[in-house]
Amino acid sequence: MGTAQRRLAPEDDTVVSSTARPGPGARTRQQVPYRPLWVEEPAKRYRMPDPVRTSAVRAVIIIAVTLIQAMVAFLCTMAESWLAFPMVISSVASTVVATWSAVDVLVTRQVWSQRNGVVSEPSSTARALRRERRAARRQERAAEREQERIRRRGGNAGQLSHP
Protein backbone atom coordinates (compact mmCIF):
# COMPACT_ATOMS: atom_id res chain seq x y z
CA MET A 1 0.00 0.00 0.00
CA GLY A 2 1.47 3.36 1.00
CA THR A 3 4.78 3.89 2.71
CA ALA A 4 3.38 6.31 5.27
CA GLN A 5 1.55 4.76 8.20
CA ARG A 6 -0.63 6.53 10.73
CA ARG A 7 -2.18 5.37 13.96
CA LEU A 8 -5.94 5.41 14.12
CA ALA A 9 -5.97 5.20 17.93
CA PRO A 10 -5.50 8.33 20.09
CA GLU A 11 -1.99 9.01 21.36
CA ASP A 12 -2.74 8.27 25.04
CA ASP A 13 -3.78 4.65 24.35
CA THR A 14 -1.19 1.98 24.94
CA VAL A 15 -0.14 -0.58 22.40
CA VAL A 16 -0.05 -4.03 23.95
CA SER A 17 2.29 -6.75 22.74
CA SER A 18 1.17 -10.36 22.54
CA THR A 19 3.14 -11.36 25.71
CA ALA A 20 1.77 -8.70 28.08
CA ARG A 21 -1.56 -9.25 29.84
CA PRO A 22 -3.74 -6.24 30.48
CA GLY A 23 -5.51 -5.79 33.78
CA PRO A 24 -9.28 -6.23 34.08
CA GLY A 25 -10.17 -2.55 33.50
CA ALA A 26 -7.35 -1.49 31.14
CA ARG A 27 -8.16 -0.13 27.72
CA THR A 28 -5.92 -1.49 24.99
CA ARG A 29 -5.66 -0.96 21.28
CA GLN A 30 -3.26 -2.33 18.75
CA GLN A 31 -1.49 -0.18 16.20
CA VAL A 32 -3.42 -0.24 12.93
CA PRO A 33 -1.57 0.72 9.76
CA TYR A 34 -2.99 3.59 7.73
CA ARG A 35 -4.73 2.31 4.61
CA PRO A 36 -5.67 4.82 1.93
CA LEU A 37 -9.02 4.47 0.22
CA TRP A 38 -7.33 4.04 -3.15
CA VAL A 39 -3.85 3.78 -4.50
CA GLU A 40 -2.97 5.89 -7.50
CA GLU A 41 -1.42 3.90 -10.28
CA PRO A 42 0.27 5.28 -13.37
CA ALA A 43 -2.12 5.65 -16.28
CA LYS A 44 -1.95 2.97 -18.91
CA ARG A 45 -3.10 5.46 -21.53
CA TYR A 46 -2.40 9.16 -21.78
CA ARG A 47 -5.32 11.49 -21.19
CA MET A 48 -7.14 12.85 -24.18
CA PRO A 49 -6.05 16.20 -25.61
CA ASP A 50 -8.12 19.17 -24.45
CA PRO A 51 -10.04 19.79 -27.72
CA VAL A 52 -10.95 16.11 -28.02
CA ARG A 53 -12.01 15.90 -24.37
CA THR A 54 -14.12 19.04 -24.76
CA SER A 55 -15.94 17.67 -27.79
CA ALA A 56 -16.39 14.29 -26.07
CA VAL A 57 -17.96 15.91 -23.00
CA ARG A 58 -20.20 18.00 -25.24
CA ALA A 59 -21.25 14.87 -27.14
CA VAL A 60 -22.05 12.95 -23.95
CA ILE A 61 -24.19 15.79 -22.62
CA ILE A 62 -26.06 16.14 -25.94
CA ILE A 63 -26.63 12.40 -26.20
CA ALA A 64 -27.88 12.24 -22.59
CA VAL A 65 -30.32 15.09 -23.20
CA THR A 66 -31.48 13.39 -26.41
CA LEU A 67 -32.16 10.12 -24.58
CA ILE A 68 -34.11 11.92 -21.86
CA GLN A 69 -36.05 13.82 -24.49
CA ALA A 70 -36.88 10.59 -26.35
CA MET A 71 -38.09 8.99 -23.12
CA VAL A 72 -40.28 12.01 -22.34
CA ALA A 73 -41.66 11.87 -25.88
CA PHE A 74 -42.47 8.18 -25.44
CA LEU A 75 -44.17 8.76 -22.08
CA CYS A 76 -46.15 11.69 -23.48
CA THR A 77 -47.27 9.51 -26.36
CA MET A 78 -48.37 6.76 -23.99
CA ALA A 79 -50.27 9.30 -21.88
CA GLU A 80 -51.83 10.81 -25.02
CA SER A 81 -50.64 14.25 -24.01
CA TRP A 82 -50.73 17.24 -26.35
CA LEU A 83 -46.98 17.55 -25.75
CA ALA A 84 -46.28 14.23 -27.53
CA PHE A 85 -46.09 15.60 -31.08
CA PRO A 86 -43.72 18.52 -30.34
CA MET A 87 -41.54 16.20 -28.24
CA VAL A 88 -41.31 13.62 -31.02
CA ILE A 89 -40.37 16.29 -33.56
CA SER A 90 -37.73 17.77 -31.25
CA SER A 91 -36.42 14.27 -30.48
CA VAL A 92 -35.85 13.65 -34.17
CA ALA A 93 -33.98 16.95 -34.51
CA SER A 94 -32.02 16.23 -31.36
CA THR A 95 -31.04 12.79 -32.70
CA VAL A 96 -29.51 14.50 -35.72
CA VAL A 97 -27.57 16.86 -33.44
CA ALA A 98 -26.43 13.94 -31.24
CA THR A 99 -25.16 12.05 -34.27
CA TRP A 100 -23.31 15.16 -35.44
CA SER A 101 -21.73 15.57 -32.01
CA ALA A 102 -20.53 11.95 -31.98
CA VAL A 103 -19.00 12.40 -35.43
CA ASP A 104 -17.48 15.69 -34.22
CA VAL A 105 -15.52 13.77 -31.57
CA LEU A 106 -14.03 11.51 -34.23
CA VAL A 107 -13.21 14.41 -36.54
CA THR A 108 -11.67 16.48 -33.74
CA ARG A 109 -9.55 13.52 -32.65
CA GLN A 110 -8.33 12.92 -36.19
CA VAL A 111 -7.55 16.60 -36.79
CA TRP A 112 -5.67 16.85 -33.49
CA SER A 113 -3.60 13.76 -34.20
CA GLN A 114 -2.75 15.03 -37.68
CA ARG A 115 -1.71 18.44 -36.41
CA ASN A 116 -0.02 17.51 -33.14
CA GLY A 117 0.51 13.79 -33.34
CA VAL A 118 3.62 11.81 -33.99
CA VAL A 119 5.62 13.09 -36.93
CA SER A 120 5.50 10.35 -39.51
CA GLU A 121 9.00 9.67 -40.77
CA PRO A 122 9.91 6.41 -42.45
CA SER A 123 12.26 4.30 -40.41
CA SER A 124 15.52 2.98 -41.75
CA THR A 125 13.99 -0.48 -42.19
CA ALA A 126 11.16 0.98 -44.27
CA ARG A 127 13.70 2.81 -46.43
CA ALA A 128 15.70 -0.39 -46.90
CA LEU A 129 12.58 -2.32 -47.89
CA ARG A 130 11.60 0.35 -50.41
CA ARG A 131 15.14 0.31 -51.83
CA GLU A 132 14.98 -3.48 -52.23
CA ARG A 133 11.59 -3.28 -53.93
CA ARG A 134 12.84 -0.62 -56.36
CA ALA A 135 15.91 -2.75 -57.18
CA ALA A 136 13.70 -5.81 -57.79
CA ARG A 137 11.43 -3.79 -60.07
CA ARG A 138 14.45 -2.49 -61.99
CA GLN A 139 15.69 -6.05 -62.46
CA GLU A 140 12.27 -7.18 -63.65
CA ARG A 141 12.09 -4.34 -66.17
CA ALA A 142 15.62 -5.09 -67.38
CA ALA A 143 14.73 -8.77 -67.81
CA GLU A 144 11.58 -7.83 -69.72
CA ARG A 145 13.57 -5.50 -71.99
CA GLU A 146 16.11 -8.26 -72.60
CA GLN A 147 13.35 -10.73 -73.50
CA GLU A 148 11.77 -8.18 -75.82
CA ARG A 149 15.15 -7.57 -77.49
CA ILE A 150 15.64 -11.31 -78.00
CA ARG A 151 12.15 -11.64 -79.49
CA ARG A 152 12.79 -8.77 -81.90
CA ARG A 153 15.99 -10.39 -83.15
CA GLY A 154 14.22 -13.49 -84.26
CA GLY A 155 13.45 -15.55 -81.24
CA ASN A 156 16.16 -18.20 -81.07
CA ALA A 157 19.03 -16.20 -82.53
CA GLY A 158 20.86 -16.07 -79.21
CA GLN A 159 20.64 -19.81 -78.52
CA LEU A 160 23.16 -22.32 -79.91
CA SER A 161 21.07 -25.44 -79.59
CA HIS A 162 17.85 -26.78 -78.14
CA PRO A 163 18.17 -29.21 -75.23
Side-chain angles (χ1 to χ4, degrees), residues 99-118:
T99 306
W100 170 83
S101 68
V103 170
D104 180 51
V105 173
L106 299 174
V107 170
T108 305
R109 182 172 174 255
Q110 184 66 29
V111 166
W112 191 91
S113 65
Q114 283 181 351
R115 288 184 183 165
N116 306 313
V118 178

Side-chain angles (χ1 to χ4, degrees), residues 39-128:
V39 178
E40 291 192 25
E41 297 175 0
K44 294 192 185 348
R45 294 177 59 176
Y46 294 106
R47 63 185 260 184
M48 281 190 282
D50 287 338
V52 178
R53 191 171 55 252
T54 303
S55 67
V57 168
R58 184 183 324 120
V60 166
I61 291 171
I62 290 172
I63 290 170
V65 168
T66 301
L67 289 173
I68 291 170
Q69 195 173 8
M71 187 169 34
V72 168
F74 174 75
L75 293 175
C76 286
T77 304
M78 290 290 114
E80 298 179 1
S81 170
W82 64 270
L83 196 58
F85 182 71
M87 286 301 292
V88 168
I89 297 298
S90 66
S91 290
V92 169
S94 180
T95 302
V96 171
V97 173
T99 306
W100 170 83
S101 68
V103 170
D104 180 51
V105 173
L106 299 174
V107 170
T108 305
R109 182 172 174 255
Q110 184 66 29
V111 166
W112 191 91
S113 65
Q114 283 181 351
R115 288 184 183 165
N116 306 313
V118 178
V119 177
S120 177
E121 292 181 3
S123 65
S124 58
T125 56
R127 269 189 230 112

